């Protein structure tokens, strides 16, 4: 796991720098800076909107005595998506928007749910219930 994380930490910034330089040569550095600011502002607004909606859904689920499983995955995706959007770059922005937009978040949540279930079956993750 640590190897993948280290690889991710090294490769993603290098790719981001390359894409930023390429885009700066293509459309100009001013436009790149404006795009980075625009995606940051748009991402913060979307993260706030989706986060508040998720909190309301969580409260509603708890109020009706239901397990808020889907809402917890939504919250995790929104948290990661919002954090990734704070990182300047177009690749991380694309990942962040994929995690923030509900329609694109659905397949990601399915994948995460499947991965968690497989890890539970292998015994690498244990979830304790009361």
């Amino acid at each position: 796991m640590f190897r993948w994380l280290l690889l991710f930490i090294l490769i993603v910034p290098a790719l981001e720098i390359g894409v930023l330089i390429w885009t700066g040569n293509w459309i100009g550095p001013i436009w790149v800076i404006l795009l980075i600011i625009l995606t940051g502002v748009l991402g913060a607004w979307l993260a706030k909107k989706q986060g508040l909606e998720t909190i309301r859904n969580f409260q509603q689920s708890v109020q009706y005595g239901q397990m808020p499983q889907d809402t917890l995955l939504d919250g995790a995706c929104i948290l990661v998506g919002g954090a990734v959007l704070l990182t300047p770059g177009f690749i991380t922005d694309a990942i962040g928007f994929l995690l923030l937009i509900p329609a694109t978040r659905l397949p990601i949540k399915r994948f995460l749910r499947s991965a968690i279930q497989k890890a539970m079956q292998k015994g690498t993750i244990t979830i304790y219930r009361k």
Side-chain angles (χ1 to χ4, degrees):
M1 180 68 179
F2 180 72
R3 263 186 265 164
W4 289 108
L5 186 61
L6 182 63
L7 194 62
F8 182 76
I9 290 171
L10 292 174
I11 289 178
V12 170
L15 289 173
E16 288 286 12
I17 291 169
V19 170
L20 287 170
I21 290 171
W22 178 78
T23 308
N25 287 332
W26 190 48
I27 64 172
I30 302 285
W31 289 108
V32 170
I33 292 169
L34 289 174
L35 277 172
I36 289 171
I37 292 169
L38 177 70
T39 58
V41 170
L42 183 62
W45 174 79
L46 188 58
K48 179 181 176 184
K49 182 178 178 234
Q50 290 297 310
L52 290 173
E53 184 179 327
T54 301
I55 289 171
R56 278 193 294 274
N57 290 342
F58 179 83
Q59 289 171 338
Q60 193 175 35
S61 295
V62 170
Q63 194 173 32
Y64 290 126
Q66 301 170 343
M67 285 294 292
Q69 298 167 348
D70 231 25
T71 308
L72 291 175
L73 281 176
D74 275 329
C77 288
I78 291 166
L79 178 67
V80 171
V84 168
L85 274 168
L86 292 175
T87 307
F90 297 125
I91 297 169
T92 52
D93 285 350
I95 293 168
F97 282 119
L98 286 174
L99 289 169
L100 287 178
I101 298 170
T104 56
R105 190 170 56 229
L106 186 62
I108 296 169
K109 287 189 331 187
R110 286 186 191 137
F111 171 77
L112 287 174
R113 192 177 304 115
S114 167
I116 291 169
Q117 287 174 345
K118 286 179 186 176
M120 286 174 59
Q121 289 170 352
K122 284 183 180 179
T124 56
I125 291 179
T126 305
I127 297 178
Y128 297 101
R129 298 180 187 185
K130 281 189 170 184

